[in-house]
Amino acid sequence: MSKSPSARRAKFLLVAALTAVVPALAADPATDPAADPAATVVISAARSVQRLSEALPHTTVLTRSDIDASQAIDVLSLLAGEAGLQFASNGGRGTATSLFMRGGSNLQTLVLVDGVPLSRQDTTGQVGLEHLMLDQVERIEIVRGNVSALYGAGAVGGVIQIFTRGGAKPADASLRLEAGSRGLVHGSAQGTVALGGATALTIGVSSVRDSGLSALDPKVFSHANPDRDGYANTSASLKLRQTLAPEQILNLGWVHSDGRLDYDDGSSFSSPLDVHRSRTVKDLGSLHADNRISGTWLSQLTVSRQTDDALYTVVGPSPFRGHYVTTVDSLNWVNQIELSNAWSLTLGLDRQRQAIAADDNFGTDFRVARNLWAGFGGLTWQSGAHLLSLHLRHDVVAGQSAPNSASLGWAYSVVPSLRLTASLGNAFSVAPLGYLYDPFSGNPGLKPERARSAELGAQWTAAGQRLRATLFRTRVAQELDFDLSSFRFGNIASTRNRGLELSWDAKLGSTTELRASLTAQDPVDASTGQRRLRRSRSMASLSASQDLGGGARVGLTLRQAGERQDSGAVSLPAYLRADLSAQWDWRPSLQFLGRIENLGDSRYQTAAGYNAPPRGLFVGLRWTPERR
């Protein structure tokens, strides 16, 4: 089958852009160690602090500086160009979004906020990532591949951990205001104050108002309501950091998000006169303790409660009201013990109580809860150029038999700048409570997903640069999915994916920053050979940022996704999207911001029949206090 003109044009433009920057590899890299990506610290890859260059899985860290440079508002916009990640959204900002990490389903990516796993126990299979804004975020860590032996259910494809701002930088503050196309108005304020020498308080608030666009394509859905589908989000965060003694720290945190959405429904039950609205309120409260028990023993304990309150209403000929509340109480205890210069031990305990209360206004409401317990341990040996890592985990899930998880990893430094890695592991995911007990589509007989994975990788690092290549293969048995023939959830016999991921980030001199990624994969149903829905076989991105002098900086981001299949034998063509940003530091404390999203006004869809936002222009300013 020949490729469409749009697919050929997208690939040509991206290859041309990559070719233009490849000679930069020969340029003199930055020599400042502080600008070296390899010197960055990461927590999520091994559930303990380590240098990014030492992480066994393919891991990326996005810092607050990266977030500010991108000018992105929400988490999805920031992550869209990262290697191995693909999203499918039912329209514009705030609409229901599926995440495919290494071609896996929503259930196979674990999302954490400050170490607390997000959970939504309804029938969507999602965690509501679209409602998380970036104003309260300090950094994001992306760990690709199977880490189920560390984190348990949901970490088949990888982990995304979001760390909120606060506590470490007294007298820190920021203010951001912006407006632009489709009625966007965005404002945020953050501040940290020292309350004595041992206490720091951080408070952040933000508001986003977006008039949006008409989500449904009338060429596909004749019953589409042509009105705009807007979104409004109010978010807040609080973090209180108390230093009890050296290396004895308590953090009390709270994160809140209230997202209100007008949306379109593509089902045959909808009418052009229907008005669909949803409101999702997320609250996460946590108490985290870091305690140095001895010189070789670090204990980290987190107790948390999270709620996800989702309300869906339809006003019109087919009225509807559905209310779904997920509550999760968690306890996580991780201990890091240095046994010797070569050996280190990790021991931990995870506990959750998951509950859902659902009412779909048809008299079929249900309330159900379950307990999950897990114990895990890991042993790491490092000597000279070699590193070996073994992790084991045992989970107990009420009502289901959860398998044990194990992983074995090896790394060898050929020379200080070149490192080879290999890993093997198995993993699992359990069905959300809605999959099991929803009166219409639930199936109490669902079995947990079981996965096996293998990876080979190579990493090259130099001052200011890091290049990572990973070959991966994953096979999932009994994958959880919705059966369109029985209209119930079921287990697919087997799925698989194999592919190559490349990522490169570099700081060249003091004026140029570059990031690039490439993913080539083959996610299929192993029984039929059919490609998994909405997954591309190829994805690529390139970001370049250049300091022009005089306080001015410009950035260009290109994102390409290959052709995808959707339900109903619909083929979604490949697309290329470009975003342009600019920043001018008028004063050290005041920056003017501007960006053009979808510069070429590319018309594309990530879910069949749902329009992606067209070109948009946005301007704003950001204020931070001057450092003295």
Side-chain angles (χ1 to χ4, degrees):
M1 181 183 295
S2 62
K3 296 181 179 177
S4 67
S6 60
R8 291 195 297 269
R9 183 168 59 251
K11 260 188 184 176
F12 171 79
L13 290 173
L14 191 68
V15 170
L18 286 168
T19 303
V21 301
V22 164
L25 280 168
D28 292 332
T31 58
D32 180 7
D36 187 352
T40 303
V41 170
V42 63
I43 299 171
S44 309
R47 221 166 167 176
S48 62
V49 177
Q50 62 181 159
R51 291 165 63 96
L52 178 60
S53 58
E54 297 173 348
L56 277 170
H58 185 179
T59 304
T60 301
V61 177
L62 300 171
T63 66
R64 186 65 224 180
S65 297
D66 297 321
I67 296 171
D68 287 339
S70 74
Q71 299 186 27
I73 294 176
D74 55 84
V75 169
L76 295 180
S77 298
L78 181 71
L79 299 181
E82 294 301 317
L85 273 64
Q86 188 168 17
F87 298 95
S89 297
N90 292 350
R93 194 185 316 277
T95 56
T97 300
S98 298
L99 165 61
F100 311 122
M101 194 168 185
R102 284 196 174 173
S105 68
N106 283 297
L107 297 178
Q108 294 169 8
T109 300
L110 183 65
V111 179
L112 304 101
V113 175
D114 291 334
V116 179
L118 290 187
S119 177
R120 181 182 277 179
Q121 293 297 312
D122 58 16
T123 58
T124 63
Q126 302 167 349
V127 295
L129 199 60
E130 62 271 13
H131 298 296
L132 298 181
M133 303 295 111
L134 287 167
D135 296 302
Q136 286 80 40
V137 175
E138 179 64 29
R139 59 193 270 128
I140 298 178
E141 298 180 357
I142 306 165
V143 183
R144 300 163 182 84
N146 170 24
V147 283
S148 192
L150 281 170
Y151 292 98
V156 177
V159 167
I160 297 173
Q161 179 153 206
I162 299 167
F163 295 91
T164 57
R165 301 171 80 167
K169 299 177 181 178
D172 192 18
S174 67
L175 176 70
R176 178 177 173 182
L177 298 171
E178 66 178 318
S181 299
R182 297 180 293 279
L184 177 78
V185 179
H186 171 219
S188 70
Q190 316 287 324
T192 299
V193 294
L195 305 175
T199 308
L201 174 66
T202 300
I203 298 176
V205 293
S206 67
S207 176
V208 177
R209 299 291 183 270
D210 188 341
S211 298
L213 65 154
S214 184
L216 283 183
D217 183 352
K219 297 178 182 177
V220 178
F221 299 104
S222 59
H223 59 273
N225 188 331
D227 66 333
R228 282 189 170 192
D229 300 304
Y231 180 68
N233 183 282
T234 301
S235 297
S237 66
L238 178 149
K239 184 174 287 186
L240 181 65
R241 179 186 177 95
Q242 179 68 44
T243 302
L244 305 175
E247 297 191 88
Q248 309 289 330
I249 300 171
L250 284 177
N251 278 296
L252 177 66
W254 171 65
V255 178
H256 170 80
S257 172
D258 185 346
R260 299 170 183 252
L261 173 71
D262 294 338
Y263 68 98
D264 282 342
D265 183 3
S267 71
S268 58
F269 301 103
S270 295
S271 158
L273 302 177
D274 286 341
V275 177
H276 298 78
R277 292 192 174 96
S278 71
R279 180 181 184 184
T280 301
V281 180
K282 290 178 170 291
D283 282 286
L284 191 154
S286 62
L287 178 63
H288 180 83
D290 280 315
N291 302 105
R292 175 67 66 178
I293 308 299
S294 70
T296 59
W297 180 5
L298 175 63
S299 170
Q300 297 175 308
L301 178 66
T302 303
V303 180
S304 65
R305 163 165 279 210
Q306 58 171 301
T307 59
D308 184 289
D309 188 328
L311 176 66
Y312 304 89
T313 60
V314 180
V315 178
S318 303
F320 171 77
R321 184 183 185 275
H323 193 193
Y324 310 90
V325 181
T326 294
T327 305
V328 180
D329 296 312
S330 300
L331 181 146
N332 311 108
W333 187 25
V334 183
N335 297 273
Q336 304 292 330
I337 303 170
E338 298 296 327
L339 301 177
S340 68
N341 290 334
W343 293 91
S344 62
L345 177 67
T346 301
L347 293 174
L349 174 70
D350 287 339
R351 185 266 179 189
Q352 283 191 24
R353 183 183 185 277
Q354 301 172 341
I356 183 171
D359 179 5
D360 62 8
N361 211 35
F362 292 135
T364 53
D365 58 307
F366 68 98
R367 297 171 182 268
V368 65
R370 68 181 173 192
N371 292 315
L372 295 82
W373 292 88
F376 58 92
L379 196 60
T380 301
W381 171 78
Q382 186 167 8
S383 179
H386 292 275
L387 181 146
L388 281 173
S389 177
L390 172 66
H391 287 91
L392 302 172
R393 182 182 173 104
H394 176 67
D395 284 80
V396 178
V397 182
Q400 293 196 18
S401 59
N404 297 325
S405 302
S407 66
L408 178 64
W410 168 79
Y412 174 66
S413 297
V414 181
V415 293
S417 60
L418 179 61
R419 191 171 190 244
L420 305 178
T421 61
S423 64
L424 295 169
N426 70 315
F428 77 100
S429 285
V430 294
L433 293 170
Y435 281 37
L436 294 165
Y437 303 114
D438 178 78
F440 290 112
S441 58
N443 180 359
L446 289 175
K447 301 176 182 178
E449 297 178 344
R450 298 171 182 261
R452 293 175 297 166
S453 62
E455 292 186 21
L456 290 174
Q459 177 179 265
W460 172 78
T461 57
Q465 299 193 49
R466 178 174 181 259
L467 176 66
R468 178 103 184 204
T470 305
L471 287 167
F472 65 89
R473 182 183 180 95
T474 301
R475 192 177 188 102
V476 181
Q478 303 171 177
E479 181 163 326
L480 298 162
D481 203 357
F482 188 75
D483 187 343
L484 293 174
S485 60
S486 64
F487 294 100
R488 299 179 71 203
F489 288 99
N491 292 103
I492 299 176
S494 180
T495 63
R496 69 167 185 264
N497 191 16
R498 54 190 173 189
L500 168 68
E501 287 172 348
L502 295 173
S503 66
W504 173 57
D505 55 285
K507 295 178 187 259
L508 306 179
S510 59
T511 61
T512 306
E513 296 184 15
L514 297 169
R515 290 172 58 87
S517 72
L518 174 66
T519 304
Q521 60 180 3
D522 186 27
V524 297
D525 184 322
S527 303
T528 64
Q530 295 295 313
R531 178 117 54 91
R532 304 301 306 283
L533 297 181
R534 300 181 179 177
R535 279 81 150 178
S536 297
R537 295 190 64 183
S538 64
M539 300 173 288
S541 69
L542 170 67
S543 295
S545 177
Q546 180 66 42
D547 191 340
L548 302 179
R553 193 170 191 89
V554 296
L556 175 66
T557 299
L558 301 175
R559 298 202 315 261
Q560 183 266 349
E563 169 267 342
R564 290 134 290 134
Q565 300 296 315
D566 210 334
S567 55
V570 175
S571 178
L572 301 175
Y575 68 89
L576 175 70
R577 168 172 163 159
D579 298 315
L580 181 67
S581 64
Q583 176 178 317
W584 176 44
D585 297 341
W586 183 49
R587 293 180 178 177
S589 61
L590 186 63
Q591 299 92 40
F592 289 98
L593 310 174
R595 70 183 184 279
I596 302 176
E597 296 179 355
N598 197 359
L599 179 64
D601 202 24
S602 177
R603 300 306 172 100
Y604 65 96
Q605 297 177 351
T606 57
Y610 288 91
N611 298 315
R615 179 168 49 227
L617 172 65
F618 307 90
V619 295
L621 58 86
R622 181 169 55 230
W623 172 86
T624 54
E626 291 188 43
R627 304 297 180 197
R628 298 186 184 276

